[in-house]
Amino acid sequence: MTASYEGVAKLGFGAMRLPLADPDDVTAIDIEQLKAMMDEFIAKGGTYVDTAFVYHNGASETALREALVERYPRDAYTLATKCLAWACPTKEEAQACLPTSLERLGVDYIDYYLLHNLGGARTAKFDEYDMWNYVAKAKADGLVRHVGFSMHDGPETLEEILTAHPEVDFVQLQVNYLDWESPVAQSRRCMEVAAEHDVPVIIMEPARGGMLVNLADRVAAPLVACSPEKSLASWAYRFCYNLPGVLTVLSGMSTIDQARQNIADV
């Protein structure tokens, strides 16, 4: 696995769609399969594990405590989680997300803490709830190591937020080869804005939610002809790995087979 800076490997583990013991219960995470996935990931040099306060209605964080935190030393992994403040009805509830996440995960600090899904009217809620000062104090107090934000918006919004908050350490963006020149996502321009502000990027949606893994035969044919031994997913990930300024590339993993495939493709 190719290493990035600060001990973070290029492939990050996304814990948004974890394996379920009961497909009708989003909180019923298959802990034994998740343990096996974590073991594969860590054994191959993986470090960065990404979750959020709201993933699996909070069960993602508690499952990672059992499958990862309680089974590995703290310096063996890097944890990221997120606060969806705009969905909270009050400032107090928004600011309670961090201590709740720390308790669920069973850790003393979060390596990468994100203000989750900024853009449009949502950004105003983070301002209203004073979340920027809150996370700055949390960083000063040692509860978080790095502060950033995620967004699914365009370069103008990114420029506006980074200009208003030059203190952020990183940003999480939707980037993939399908959206690279998209007039909506504008992945290329977003990456350029981040570079202009000298802010490293964590990439999400590198395979566009699986779309770039399930290509039509005529679209996949040139890729297969070029490297028949490579999976279609590997093309999507390698596109992102090779972009400048990338800290890590998140892959949402739902099964042990997916974990093995993604790790093998790095």
Side-chain angles (χ1 to χ4, degrees):
M1 186 172 289
T2 305
S4 182
Y5 68 90
E6 295 189 11
V8 176
K10 279 292 189 183
L11 176 66
F13 189 108
M16 183 178 181
R17 299 180 184 89
L18 296 176
L20 297 176
D22 179 355
D24 296 321
D25 182 358
V26 72
T27 66
I29 294 168
D30 184 340
I31 295 295
E32 293 309 310
Q33 185 171 182
L34 181 57
K35 287 179 180 179
M37 293 164 72
M38 286 288 102
D39 290 345
E40 293 269 352
F41 183 68
I42 297 291
K44 291 299 195 304
T47 55
Y48 193 98
V49 180
D50 169 88
T51 184
F53 184 88
V54 296
Y55 289 174
H56 288 270
N57 292 339
S60 176
E61 291 182 326
T62 55
L64 286 173
R65 182 187 67 224
E66 186 173 349
L68 176 66
V69 174
E70 293 177 352
R71 299 173 63 243
Y72 287 92
R74 186 63 181 88
D75 60 359
Y77 56 86
T78 301
L79 274 177
T81 194
K82 313 179 190 75
C83 172
L84 198 70
W86 57 266
C88 296
T90 67
K91 170 183 175 179
E92 290 70 26
E93 289 187 50
Q95 294 190 358
C97 289
L98 175 56
T100 300
S101 290
L102 288 166
E103 182 179 1
R104 287 175 180 169
L105 287 161
V107 294
D108 297 325
Y109 65 90
I110 304 297
D111 297 280
Y112 290 81
Y113 195 64
L114 295 90
L115 302 182
H116 192 181
N117 197 11
L118 272 68
R122 296 182 301 277
T123 303
K125 276 294 181 184
F126 291 89
D127 297 334
E128 178 185 338
Y129 292 162
D130 197 30
M131 293 304 297
W132 299 101
N133 287 325
Y134 175 79
V135 294
K137 184 176 186 305
K139 181 179 177 181
D141 291 344
L143 297 177
V144 301
R145 296 284 177 85
H146 307 279
V147 171
F149 63 91
S150 65
M151 55 161 271
H152 291 272
D153 212 320
E156 294 81 8
T157 297
L158 181 59
E159 175 68 41
E160 182 179 310
I161 297 172
L162 289 177
T163 299
H165 297 284
E167 73 276 12
V168 300
D169 300 309
F170 68 100
V171 63
Q172 185 165 308
L173 301 174
Q174 177 176 317
V175 177
N176 53 71
Y177 67 74
L178 182 63
D179 288 326
W180 192 243
E181 297 293 352
S182 162
V184 178
Q186 300 185 66
S187 289
R188 177 183 60 78
R189 183 59 192 135
C190 283
M191 289 294 293
E192 290 172 350
V193 170
E196 289 160 7
H197 286 265
D198 197 26
V199 175
V201 175
I202 294 167
I203 289 180
M204 58 182 164
E205 300 288 350
R208 198 49 145 67
M211 183 180 296
L212 301 181
V213 178
N214 300 298
L215 298 174
D217 289 345
R218 64 181 180 81
V219 178
L223 303 179
V224 174
C226 181
S227 295
E229 75 286 359
K230 294 288 186 182
S231 71
L232 295 179
S234 73
W235 288 95
Y237 294 129
R238 283 186 292 155
F239 174 84
C240 295
Y241 292 149
N242 292 320
L243 295 173
V246 172
L247 174 59
T248 195
V249 178
L250 297 177
S251 172
M253 304 189 206
S254 303
T255 67
I256 185 65
D257 288 340
Q258 286 180 5
R260 287 170 177 157
Q261 167 95 52
N262 291 341
I263 293 165
D265 285 338
V266 177

